[in-house]
Amino acid sequence: MSKSLQAIRGMNDILPEQTPLWRYFEGTVARLLDNYGYRQIRMPIVEFTELFKRSIGEVTDIVEKEMYTFEDRNGDSLTLRPEGTAACVRAVLEHGITGGGQVQKLWYIGPMFRHERPQKGRYRQFHQIGLEVFNLDGPDIDAELIVMTWRLWGELGLRDAVKLELNSLGTSESRGRYREALVEFLSAHLDKLDEDSQRRLKTNPLRVLDTKNAETQAILADAPKMADYLDDESRAHFEGLKARLDAVGIPYVINPKLVRGLDYYSKTVFEWVTDKLGAQGTVCAGGRYDGLVEQMGGKPTPGVGFAMGIERLVLMLEALDKVPQELSRQVDVYLCAFGEAAELAAIVLSEALRDRLPNLRLQINAGAGSFKSQFKKADKSGALYALILGDDELAQQVVGFKPLRGQGEQQSIAWDALAAHLATCVVQG
Ligand code: ATP
Ligand code: MG
């Protein structure tokens, strides 16, 4: 195929073989969020570039080098959203739904866009499920977010494969004091820092903690610790969070170097990480951002949230063999009809079955065909049973009911008994 007719590098089709697993994952998360009282919000995929510059911060990786930014026909600078928090904050402010201290517990799902180097678990269009809570400032809600994800890992069978890392970044004041101490320390070792860290030291010094460079990491071993600079309020908040996680029995490790890539976090930050996906180990990340709404022009409004990467979690389910068996079958019953009169009866009969059994997954043979070819298609569909309608069956108002996976002999079933029979052997839920 010519190059121009291929998908863009790092932007993937999700093929029909893969969508059952995606829908299982998305459905599981959606049900969980419903059960905890979160409501879905849907934001546009494109926003003014300014929104992301203001919220994420000019000197972050995302804004510096990962955004898909373009000018539209009006000459406005627009950007394909690289994450969901900025747009969600914009939306709640625009619609005034966090005013007067109103609590909002919101979630969203959809594609995000970042111009990164594509590799396993890292793409240019990827998908997140994210969640934001506004106007609750205590550790109880931070704990709820983590407890909820812990439950999700349990439902998906992933608990043994993920690890929770926690840190507190303090308030912007205590973080400011820490930043000064860190800059002073690192400046004294400037010539030994890697190039990226030298640059970050000037623009976003906390990000130096995040470095992958071994030499810089060695220097950081003696650097001042964020925990020593925490203000009392942040310390109490962090203790409150840990007490709740301990009470529920959720294991965690404190990672003093966890700073997150974005500028807007304060107090709690956390990441769920795995060693099952190589370098792309973070499957869910989030934290508190009490200053963000005000920074974006709203009244002071505490906020906390997280986002998880759907591709990475789907990869994990596959890698750990946690794909539920029942996802492999998409069809329960395949109806074969032979001849024009039988085809007419088949469509009427199948509509009546769908009326009676709304969850029945019934596929009617399309495109006619011989006995042999229809059975071949029935078998290939993965169905458990084939229904057979030919002239003889039509005359007697019955169908042939043929197990396709070795569960007994073919039998004849009267049309008016068929729904009840199918209900006993295929329809659940
Ligand atoms: P990373 O350190 O892996 O680049 P991040 O800190 O940039 O992640 P966030 O902005 O916190 O990621 O996004 C939340 C989650 O979205 C990540 O934990 C990850 O699971 C997923 N994610 C982020 N970027 C990508 C990407 N390019 N491709 C696939 N998933 C991604
Ligand atoms: Mg990133």
Side-chain angles (χ1 to χ4, degrees), residues 177-348:
R177 282 198 305 278
Y178 174 65
R179 187 185 296 118
E180 270 175 38
L182 184 68
V183 169
E184 196 184 313
F185 171 85
L186 291 175
S187 300
H189 299 83
L190 190 62
D191 49 330
K192 286 187 228 106
L193 301 182
D194 62 284
E195 213 176 293
D196 240 11
S197 296
Q198 292 190 358
R199 192 173 52 84
R200 281 177 172 163
L201 184 58
K202 297 202 188 72
T203 56
N204 193 351
L206 292 190
R207 292 287 326 263
V208 176
L209 298 177
D210 221 16
T211 183
K212 305 276 181 291
N213 181 283
E215 253 182 89
T216 305
Q217 278 177 348
I219 292 167
L220 283 170
D222 300 320
K225 301 279 176 288
M226 186 129 49
D228 298 329
Y229 288 78
L230 274 193
D231 54 290
D232 291 345
E233 184 196 324
S234 299
R235 202 184 299 274
H237 187 104
F238 201 36
E239 291 306 317
L241 170 60
K242 289 189 283 184
R244 286 169 172 85
L245 299 181
D246 291 338
V248 180
I250 301 178
Y252 54 85
V253 292
I254 308 290
N255 176 357
K257 293 190 181 143
L258 183 63
V259 291
R260 308 282 307 118
L262 315 184
D263 262 358
Y264 51 57
Y265 287 104
S266 55
K267 291 186 179 156
T268 310
V269 288
F270 67 91
E271 289 192 359
W272 286 100
V273 297
T274 179
D275 56 9
K276 310 291 180 204
L277 295 178
Q280 275 46 256
T282 306
V283 292
C284 174
R288 179 161 282 285
Y289 48 82
D290 290 343
L292 178 63
V293 176
E294 196 179 7
Q295 180 186 316
M296 287 173 63
K299 298 234 164 60
T301 305
V304 59
F306 66 68
M308 53 183 118
I310 303 182
E311 280 82 356
R312 292 185 192 176
L313 285 157
V314 163
L315 279 171
M316 260 185 96
L317 290 169
E318 288 171 338
L320 298 170
D321 224 356
K322 300 292 182 186
V323 179
Q325 182 77 58
E326 62 269 22
L327 296 185
S328 58
R329 190 165 50 78
Q330 297 293 302
V331 180
D332 299 321
V333 177
Y334 193 98
L335 199 165
C336 308
F338 306 97
E340 260 179 55
E343 281 183 14
L344 266 185
I347 193 166
V348 174

Side-chain angles (χ1 to χ4, degrees), residues 336 338 369-376 388-390 393 410:
C336 308
F338 306 97
S370 67
F371 236 80
K372 204 173 149 199
S373 83
Q374 290 202 33
F375 272 126
K376 222 169 155 179
I388 301 146
L389 255 182
E393 286 81 10
Q410 178 169 336

Side-chain angles (χ1 to χ4, degrees), residues 76-141:
D76 291 322
S77 180
L78 307 183
T79 293
L80 298 183
R81 63 182 185 193
E83 53 105 58
T85 304
C88 189
V89 169
R90 194 241 344 111
V92 299
L93 284 178
E94 188 165 337
H95 299 284
I97 59 174
T98 51
Q102 284 177 83
V103 171
Q104 293 291 345
K105 298 166 131 187
L106 306 171
W107 68 277
Y108 53 82
I109 179 169
M112 307 292 161
F113 302 84
R114 298 184 194 177
H115 196 275
E116 306 196 67
R117 192 170 68 75
Q119 53 200 289
K120 184 181 168 200
R122 188 174 297 284
Y123 311 99
R124 290 180 173 175
Q125 173 175 327
F126 62 99
H127 298 78
Q128 286 184 340
I129 295 183
L131 169 165
E132 318 290 347
V133 178
F134 297 100
N135 281 317
L136 288 173
D137 61 4
D140 48 356
I141 192 71

